[in-house]
Amino acid sequence: MVKQNIFERAKKEKSVFLDERFLYPEFVPEALLHREKEIESLVYCFEPIVRGRKPFNVFLAGPTGVGKTVCAKFVLKQLEESHGRAKSLYLNCFEYNSRSSVLAAIANFVGGAIPRRGLAVDEIFSNMLESMRKCGFAPIVVLDEVDQLLVSESNSKLLYDLLRVVEYEKQRLGIVLISNDVSLTAKLDSRIKSSLAEQSILFEPYTPQQLKSILSERAALAFVKGAVDQEVIGLAAAHAAKLGGDARVAIESLLRAGRIAERANQNSVSVEGLRLAFGQADATSLAKGVSSLNSDELELLMIVAKNPGINSGKIYGLYSEKGSLKERRLRDVLGELEKKNFLSIEHKSMGNMGKTKEFFSRIPAQLIEAELKASKSKTG
């Protein structure tokens, strides 16, 4: 009997994709829809580099999935293409979550040779500075999800390090900070805030109509003709609008729905497949933010994840065995977790006893635990 390779089936199955890479998170379109004003503001901040001057520091803020990262990458890519002496380094602070790891990444980017571990921060900084003097180009450092880096006092000194390079060493270094927290820079130390003197660019959520046009453009590039109809696009846009205009989740849902269709050997993406993809994409996206929660928030989220439909009284009973929050404060924290989309709340009638709230986690307990484990391994 001739054995068949287990992957042979994949070659024979129908594909709804023309090129699924157009749906990947790292894809940067050749033109960005509905972000003309923000792009113009970014160009203004980086134009001084073209004239041999120091660029403005930039702070991009707004909800998840509204185009902050892709706009920064789009503008910087065009800057590098038009001006050879500018080069950008993109760092996501979920991965580069310590002062030393960021400085080492910058040092290596400008020509140093720094190991990931083993050197003191002062040694890394000196190496970075020396390499920067010799590199022959103006580095622009993008710190995405920067609030993950600034949660501890020691890591927050990183901004002082970078500003010192500009102010005292007179090196042309651009700093781009990206965060969901619009008030982040207002919370910084007054000396850092004064030296940063950033240009703030606020990103508003996409409207449902804007989301439709963005998704239609991506779908036309990623899928074979006829594989995705307007009902699917409209549903994906409506779901993203409900999440605060999060285009990233909508695009990821289309990718997952396409793979679901392929697995079922279907010719097109179905509404049912898209709905299934929503839950997967939402949970994966939210799980990335788990490491930013404090210990009380994490404890409460895990209790709800392991006990779907639990009410606040029972949550408090389980929480009080370990935690120290008072019941009123605990209810406030549950409300905050709902606002951040980690929890959903359903109101249930209790007949003559009135109504009660039932809490559900949007992230499975296993996914929360896996994300925490991955986060600890990066910091360890």
Side-chain angles (χ1 to χ4, degrees):
M1 181 178 176
V2 179
K3 287 187 178 180
Q4 185 180 20
N5 188 287
I6 57 175
F7 287 99
E8 283 300 314
R9 185 185 63 182
K11 296 177 184 178
K12 298 175 183 176
E13 288 180 348
K14 296 172 184 176
S15 177
V16 296
F17 290 111
L18 193 62
D19 190 342
E20 69 169 39
R21 289 175 296 178
F22 290 109
L23 301 175
Y24 290 177
E26 63 271 18
F27 172 69
V28 179
E30 291 185 7
L32 291 180
L33 299 178
H34 314 301
R35 286 294 176 249
E36 294 80 9
K37 182 181 71 174
E38 292 81 1
I39 289 171
E40 188 178 332
S41 297
L42 275 168
V43 170
Y44 168 77
C45 292
F46 297 133
E47 267 183 339
I49 292 180
V50 179
R51 301 185 178 93
R53 302 172 191 162
K54 181 174 75 70
F56 289 102
N57 297 320
V58 191
F59 175 53
L60 308 182
T64 301
V66 295
K68 304 183 298 294
T69 300
V70 74
C71 274
K73 289 182 175 180
F74 174 80
V75 172
L76 288 170
K77 181 183 177 185
Q78 297 221 4
L79 175 64
E80 291 175 20
E81 289 173 354
S82 68
H83 186 68
R85 292 192 176 180
K87 292 184 181 180
S88 61
L89 173 65
Y90 172 83
L91 301 174
N92 189 297
C93 296
F94 271 116
E95 180 179 358
Y96 293 87
N97 51 15
S98 70
R99 183 183 172 202
S100 59
S101 66
V102 171
L103 290 176
I106 299 172
N108 289 326
F109 177 66
V110 295
I114 302 292
R116 187 75 185 256
R117 299 168 187 262
L119 292 182
V121 173
D122 288 345
E123 290 180 88
I124 298 172
F125 182 82
S126 298
N127 185 297
M128 180 196 76
L129 191 57
E130 187 60 33
S131 300
M132 198 175 288
R133 288 175 182 144
K134 299 174 182 177
C135 72
F137 61 86
I140 300 169
V141 178
V142 181
L143 298 176
D144 203 350
E145 310 278 7
V146 69
D147 39 315
Q148 303 305 312
L149 188 67
L150 303 181
V151 289
S152 72
E153 188 176 342
S154 60
N155 286 344
S156 65
K157 291 178 181 176
L158 170 73
L159 285 185
Y160 178 76
D161 294 331
L162 299 182
L163 292 168
R164 188 165 47 136
V165 170
V166 178
E167 286 195 8
Y168 300 109
E169 304 296 338
K170 306 301 179 187
Q171 298 295 309
R172 283 182 296 156
L173 170 69
I175 303 169
V176 181
L177 308 179
I178 303 178
S179 174
N180 298 342
D181 185 354
V182 295
S183 62
L184 180 71
T185 55
K187 301 172 187 174
L188 296 174
D189 179 274
S190 57
R191 293 170 300 171
I192 293 176
K193 192 162 51 176
S194 174
S195 299
L196 188 61
E198 84 288 349
Q199 297 286 319
S200 295
I201 303 174
L202 302 183
F203 286 67
E204 296 295 331
Y206 291 114
T207 66
Q209 202 57 43
Q210 288 173 337
L211 286 163
K212 272 188 181 180
S213 62
I214 291 169
L215 295 175
S216 294
E217 182 185 67
R218 290 291 189 96
L221 294 169
F223 292 96
V224 298
K225 192 172 182 179
V228 181
D229 62 29
Q230 284 305 304
E231 183 183 6
V232 170
I233 295 292
L235 181 60
H239 181 74
K242 190 173 69 174
L243 293 176
D246 191 337
R248 190 184 304 169
V249 165
I251 292 168
E252 185 180 342
S253 294
L254 283 180
L255 173 62
R256 289 176 181 268
R259 290 181 175 176
I260 290 169
E262 284 192 334
R263 188 171 185 179
N265 209 22
Q266 297 171 340
N267 292 318
S268 60
V269 175
S270 67
V271 167
E272 293 75 20
L274 182 63
R275 291 188 189 280
L276 181 60
F278 285 156
Q280 297 172 354
D282 291 354
T284 302
S285 178
L286 284 169
K288 293 175 184 175
V290 163
S291 60
S292 67
L293 300 178
N294 63 40
S295 58
D296 289 312
E297 290 171 326
L298 274 173
E299 184 65 32
L300 292 174
L301 182 59
M302 282 299 295
I303 288 172
V304 176
K306 291 179 177 179
N307 302 275
I310 190 171
N311 63 40
S312 58
K314 290 181 180 177
I315 293 173
Y316 184 69
L318 292 171
Y319 167 82
S320 59
E321 297 172 10
K322 299 178 182 179
S324 58
L325 292 179
K326 300 295 183 185
E327 189 165 3
R328 184 173 178 179
R329 175 57 188 151
L330 178 141
R331 293 176 190 271
D332 290 340
V333 174
L334 289 173
E336 290 164 11
L337 287 170
E338 184 198 13
K339 286 179 185 176
K340 293 176 181 178
N341 260 330
F342 289 105
L343 296 181
S344 63
I345 297 177
E346 291 183 10
H347 297 269
K348 186 177 180 181
S349 174
M350 301 287 287
N352 294 334
M353 297 175 66
K355 292 183 178 181
T356 186
K357 290 180 180 179
E358 293 185 343
F359 293 82
F360 298 85
S361 172
R362 294 183 184 274
I363 316 172
Q366 312 94 285
L367 201 53
I368 298 171
E369 290 169 340
E371 192 64 31
L372 288 174
K373 187 177 180 181
S375 178
K376 285 178 182 176
S377 69
K378 286 175 185 174
T379 56

